[in-house]
Amino acid sequence: MTELIPAPRSVVAGSGEVRLTARSRLFADDGTEGVGHWLRAVLRQATGLPLREGREPDGADEDGIGLRLGPGLGPEEYRLVSDRNGVLVEGGTAAGVFRGAQTLRQLLGPEAFRRAPVRRDRVWAVPHVTIEDSPRFRWRGLMLDVARHFMPKEGVLRQLDLMAAHKLNVLHFHLTDDQGWRIEIQRYPKLTGTGSWRARTKLGHRASPLWDDRPHGGHYTQDDIREIVAYAAERHISVVPEIDVPGHSQAAIAAYPELGNSDVVDTASLTVWDTWGINPNVLAPTDHTLRFYEGVLEEVLELFPADAGPFSPFVHIGGDECPKDQWRESDAARKRIGDLGLADEDALQSWFIGHFDTWLAARGRRLIGWDEILEGGLAPGAAVSSWRGYCGGVAAARAGHDVVMCPQQYVYLDYRQDAGPDEPVPIGYVRTLEDVYRFEPVPSELTGEEAARVLGTQANVWTEVMEDQGRVDYQMFPRLAALAEVAWSDLPAPADRDFAGFERRMAAHYRRLDALGVAYRPPAGPLPWQRRPGVLGRPLDGPPPHG
């Protein structure tokens, strides 16, 4: 049962086991009560054992579990000791104890991931072992796009549980785009009243002739968002909201046409976009637009408090793929360029991003955006999500900015997993489980000081061709397990990584995913019901450019 994912730093096996029984108790010391509540709940579900509250132990009861903070351990570092005294999980913080509790759950076997006991005669045993472990990167994330295809709240909570099981700690929540606005803003009710629904949806790549003619949409109420943030915090996951500006904004313009470049295009005729790609309809760089989005962000900051996790001060503002054609044609945009003394439309976007950088910083928050926001310069506290290869991340680190490495060539999980004809809606380059496992987030050309700017890495899940939970599962898993190990474990150089050993451990991990109900891609290829014959994709051949 020591086939652990992600791989711990150190595992020393003993010769016996701790058996959990109806007499076993769970003790949570000061500062670990929340972890104890979570662990008792999930283990009671899976085992049927009561796991009553224990007495304060030196270690643990001989057949029980103890949780406590351990002096000298780092913030997410933990030590798990299972011996004749029972099981003791110590962490530098509650987050560290929680990561250790996830390891304990894996040690108990795949059935520990179920929501009810499947065999009443099951023996629940933890092998005698000493595990010492800590993460390589602080930021270990998943970017979840709920704008292209809406994921109901229960699905988001499920994703948070799956993230926690893999020791991921940042949900980058992509809430707005051309195809839908997903967060309630009370000041501007049309954002969800109009902007959260589209009349139909393109099936497959934008070149596909197929359509789903059913309306599609949905949004999260403010209480839904509060619940998601609190649920994440209980699992020591920070939620970073993304409100995309100034591009990817047609849903907002459809709701409030004055936000668009109405001197160039009839914005009142625009609807929530029903297809994919880069949209020409972008926000107008006016004072009204700035005030509108300040109002949006005021509510966003209240819903995503800065003290909900180590990365909760961040707010993602997108900043990517903003065509400048409408600004070039707009008298209002050209006048703004002149009034500000800017060189061109690219500088105008930099000014737009800079405005919100300053606005957020004045409220104790930090702006993060896609690597296009580097163009024109950034304020010192801003951070960059490097998606167009490594170059943006390298430039940002060298300029003194923090970086999250998420290059599309490695960690875009909408990319196809195999070149075979049965791969559903094939998008982009082939990115296999092994490709993700050999991804290295820190470019070799960075100096030690520059490399320290790499906060970590994340996988990005864009959902244009993922219409339901099963499709999201298929694209995410098992590759997200590989990304989790890359982000957590101190692995060798990519060429030296033991992928065969990872595959062996995945054989055990698939059983955990089965218990969790994850519709992952099987190693042998898609099952018949996972295929999408006849739905056009956009496959790209050959190896992806390094970037």
Side-chain angles (χ1 to χ4, degrees):
M1 293 299 179
T2 55
E3 302 294 319
L4 302 173
I5 288 179
R9 184 179 72 226
S10 169
V11 178
V12 179
S15 58
E17 63 182 19
V18 174
R19 290 197 173 190
L20 302 182
T21 69
R23 296 186 303 106
S24 299
R25 295 178 178 269
L26 192 157
F27 172 76
D29 205 353
D30 293 345
T32 70
E33 296 90 345
V35 183
H37 175 78
W38 173 85
L39 185 61
R40 182 176 287 110
V42 295
L43 292 188
R44 276 178 173 172
Q45 282 185 341
T47 67
L49 300 175
L51 293 174
R52 297 181 180 88
E53 186 173 342
R55 301 174 299 278
E56 182 172 356
D58 293 329
D61 296 327
E62 63 181 19
D63 62 352
I65 300 168
L67 309 175
R68 71 183 183 194
L69 302 180
L73 297 176
E76 289 187 279
E77 188 174 7
Y78 71 89
R79 180 187 302 112
L80 186 156
V81 179
S82 170
D83 59 19
R84 60 185 179 81
N85 295 313
V87 180
L88 176 64
V89 180
E90 295 179 294
T93 63
V97 176
F98 185 77
R99 309 301 174 216
Q102 292 289 355
T103 298
L104 171 60
R105 198 179 181 196
Q106 290 196 19
L107 291 172
L108 282 166
E111 293 90 346
F113 290 84
R114 295 193 178 273
R115 294 191 180 183
V118 293
R119 290 182 308 196
R120 291 292 177 178
D121 59 347
R122 168 74 152 81
V123 174
W124 295 98
V126 181
H128 284 178
V129 67
T130 299
I131 297 174
E132 296 182 331
D133 201 8
S134 60
R136 179 186 177 191
F137 291 109
R138 290 180 289 154
W139 182 301
R140 307 178 304 281
L142 169 69
M143 193 290 304
L144 183 62
D145 167 22
V146 296
R148 274 48 179 269
H149 278 99
F150 178 64
M151 179 178 287
K153 180 196 70 178
E154 287 302 317
V156 177
L157 301 181
R158 174 179 177 269
Q159 292 297 333
L160 289 166
D161 281 331
L162 292 173
M163 290 176 64
H166 291 83
K167 297 185 173 67
L168 299 175
N169 69 340
V170 180
L171 174 63
H172 171 174
F173 207 14
H174 185 83
L175 288 162
T176 72
D177 217 294
D178 299 302
Q179 295 86 1
W181 184 284
R182 304 295 178 216
I183 178 173
E184 177 191 15
I185 302 297
Q186 294 177 348
R187 192 175 312 187
Y188 305 120
K190 291 181 183 178
L191 286 173
T192 49
T194 298
S196 69
W197 286 90
R198 57 179 182 263
R200 62 176 187 168
T201 298
K202 174 65 69 173
L203 280 179
H205 182 250
R206 61 180 176 270
S208 166
L210 304 177
W211 293 89
D212 181 344
D213 287 320
R214 297 171 299 175
H216 177 84
H219 73 276
Y220 309 106
T221 68
Q222 293 203 347
D223 280 346
D224 289 338
I225 293 292
R226 293 186 181 99
E227 181 182 355
I228 288 167
V229 171
Y231 195 86
E234 288 174 352
R235 286 146 184 80
H236 299 275
I237 295 172
S238 302
V239 184
V240 175
E242 181 177 354
I243 306 296
D244 217 332
V245 297
H248 288 290
S249 297
Q250 182 160 319
I253 297 169
Y256 293 92
E258 66 272 18
L259 296 174
N261 296 284
S262 55
D263 59 344
V264 175
V265 64
D266 179 13
T267 55
S269 68
L270 295 177
T271 59
V272 178
W273 212 26
D274 57 13
T275 189
W276 320 121
I278 299 176
N279 190 304
N281 296 302
V282 303
L283 297 175
T286 63
D287 286 341
H288 174 76
T289 300
L290 297 181
R291 301 293 87 76
F292 184 96
Y293 273 86
E294 288 170 2
V296 168
L297 289 171
E298 283 175 2
E299 295 192 27
V300 167
L301 297 192
E302 190 273 326
L303 295 170
F304 295 88
D307 60 355
F311 296 108
S312 296
F314 282 98
V315 175
H316 206 292
I317 49 71
D320 62 315
E321 297 179 330
C322 179
K324 310 298 191 300
D325 297 345
Q326 290 184 357
W327 287 356
R328 293 186 184 98
E329 298 175 27
S330 166
D331 290 338
R334 289 201 303 271
K335 183 177 186 302
R336 180 118 244 183
I337 290 171
D339 290 347
L340 293 169
L342 302 175
D344 54 21
E345 290 77 17
D346 290 336
L348 183 61
Q349 177 170 347
S350 179
W351 165 82
F352 193 103
I353 299 298
H355 173 86
F356 289 104
D357 192 355
T358 301
W359 189 91
L360 287 166
R363 288 154 181 81
R365 306 304 279 265
R366 292 186 65 185
L367 180 146
I368 183 169
W370 302 109
D371 53 59
E372 286 96 329
I373 69 172
L374 282 166
E375 297 159 9
L378 275 180
V384 169
S385 303
S386 185
W387 74 274
R388 295 179 300 176
Y390 287 100
C391 295
V394 169
R398 287 177 173 168
H401 296 287
D402 288 338
V403 179
V404 176
M405 283 292 186
C406 49
Q408 60 182 325
Q409 302 94 321
Y410 287 94
V411 292
Y412 268 37
L413 299 189
D414 49 315
Y415 279 21
R416 58 189 173 140
Q417 301 182 66
D418 188 84
D422 289 333
E423 209 62 31
V425 200
I427 298 295
Y429 297 101
V430 172
R431 294 289 81 190
T432 65
L433 181 65
E434 182 172 2
D435 290 327
V436 176
Y437 190 68
R438 297 193 188 280
F439 163 56
E440 172 48 52
V442 180
S444 58
E445 58 263 42
L446 294 181
T447 66
E449 184 176 350
E450 293 164 351
R453 287 288 183 181
V454 179
L455 294 174
T457 185
Q458 68 183 31
N460 293 345
V461 179
W462 301 106
T463 61
E464 286 92 338
V465 299
M466 301 180 213
E467 72 278 9
D468 56 32
Q469 177 176 291
R471 284 287 293 125
V472 174
D473 279 5
Y474 180 92
Q475 293 299 135
M476 283 176 54
F477 289 100
R479 293 182 296 180
L480 190 65
L483 184 277
E485 183 147 313
V486 167
W488 178 275
S489 306
D490 191 10
L491 298 175
D496 298 328
R497 292 177 187 173
D498 180 11
F499 180 68
F502 178 75
E503 281 190 305
R504 184 188 66 252
R505 288 182 286 118
M506 276 303 302
H509 198 64
Y510 285 122
R511 294 176 59 205
R512 300 179 191 123
L513 297 179
D514 288 333
L516 288 163
V518 177
Y520 57 84
R521 181 189 189 275
L527 298 167
W529 53 87
Q530 293 175 319
R531 299 166 189 161
R532 294 291 187 276
V535 182
L536 184 68
R538 184 181 61 93
L540 298 173
D541 294 326
H546 179 68

